[in-house]
Amino acid sequence: MREGILIPDMQTGRADIRFHSDDCYGGLRCGATMDIWLNEQWVSTHIEMNNNG
Protein backbone atom coordinates (compact mmCIF):
# COMPACT_ATOMS: atom_id res chain seq x y z
CA MET A 1 0.00 0.00 0.00
CA ARG A 2 1.25 3.50 -0.84
CA GLU A 3 0.37 6.69 0.99
CA GLY A 4 -0.50 9.87 -0.91
CA ILE A 5 -2.72 12.94 -1.05
CA LEU A 6 -6.11 13.06 -2.79
CA ILE A 7 -6.10 15.85 -5.41
CA PRO A 8 -8.42 17.01 -8.21
CA ASP A 9 -7.20 16.39 -11.77
CA MET A 10 -8.54 19.37 -13.70
CA GLN A 11 -7.70 17.83 -17.10
CA THR A 12 -9.79 14.68 -16.61
CA GLY A 13 -12.33 15.95 -14.08
CA ARG A 14 -11.47 13.02 -11.80
CA ALA A 15 -9.82 12.73 -8.41
CA ASP A 16 -6.26 11.42 -8.35
CA ILE A 17 -3.68 10.49 -5.74
CA ARG A 18 -0.32 12.26 -5.66
CA PHE A 19 2.42 10.25 -3.99
CA HIS A 20 5.41 11.63 -2.10
CA SER A 21 7.64 11.13 -5.13
CA ASP A 22 5.39 13.57 -7.12
CA ASP A 23 4.07 10.82 -9.37
CA CYS A 24 0.31 10.25 -9.57
CA TYR A 25 -1.91 7.19 -9.52
CA GLY A 26 -3.51 8.05 -12.86
CA GLY A 27 -7.09 8.99 -12.02
CA LEU A 28 -9.64 7.32 -9.77
CA ARG A 29 -12.76 5.77 -11.28
CA CYS A 30 -16.10 4.64 -9.84
CA GLY A 31 -15.67 1.60 -7.64
CA ALA A 32 -12.04 2.36 -6.77
CA THR A 33 -11.36 1.37 -3.15
CA MET A 34 -9.00 3.05 -0.73
CA ASP A 35 -8.39 3.77 2.94
CA ILE A 36 -8.57 7.41 4.01
CA TRP A 37 -7.31 9.07 7.20
CA LEU A 38 -10.40 10.56 8.87
CA ASN A 39 -10.84 11.68 12.49
CA GLU A 40 -7.51 10.19 13.54
CA GLN A 41 -8.21 6.71 12.10
CA TRP A 42 -8.04 4.82 8.79
CA VAL A 43 -11.45 4.24 7.17
CA SER A 44 -12.09 1.94 4.16
CA THR A 45 -14.14 3.59 1.40
CA HIS A 46 -14.74 3.64 -2.36
CA ILE A 47 -15.59 6.20 -5.05
CA GLU A 48 -19.05 6.47 -6.59
CA MET A 49 -20.72 9.01 -8.86
CA ASN A 50 -24.37 10.09 -8.89
CA ASN A 51 -26.41 11.54 -11.78
CA ASN A 52 -25.05 15.02 -10.99
CA GLY A 53 -21.45 13.89 -11.45
Side-chain angles (χ1 to χ4, degrees):
M1 178 170 31
R2 294 176 70 187
E3 188 175 318
I5 299 170
L6 191 63
I7 60 168
D9 183 340
M10 300 302 186
Q11 291 179 343
T12 65
R14 297 181 183 274
D16 204 346
I17 300 173
R18 176 163 297 176
F19 299 109
H20 296 292
S21 59
D22 282 338
D23 63 326
C24 291
Y25 178 78
L28 298 171
R29 292 179 167 50
C30 290
T33 60
M34 69 188 80
D35 293 336
I36 60 169
W37 184 249
L38 180 66
N39 297 327
E40 303 297 320
Q41 63 183 351
W42 288 104
V43 178
S44 294
T45 189
H46 64 276
I47 293 194
E48 292 298 334
M49 183 183 294
N50 64 19
N51 291 337
N52 296 324

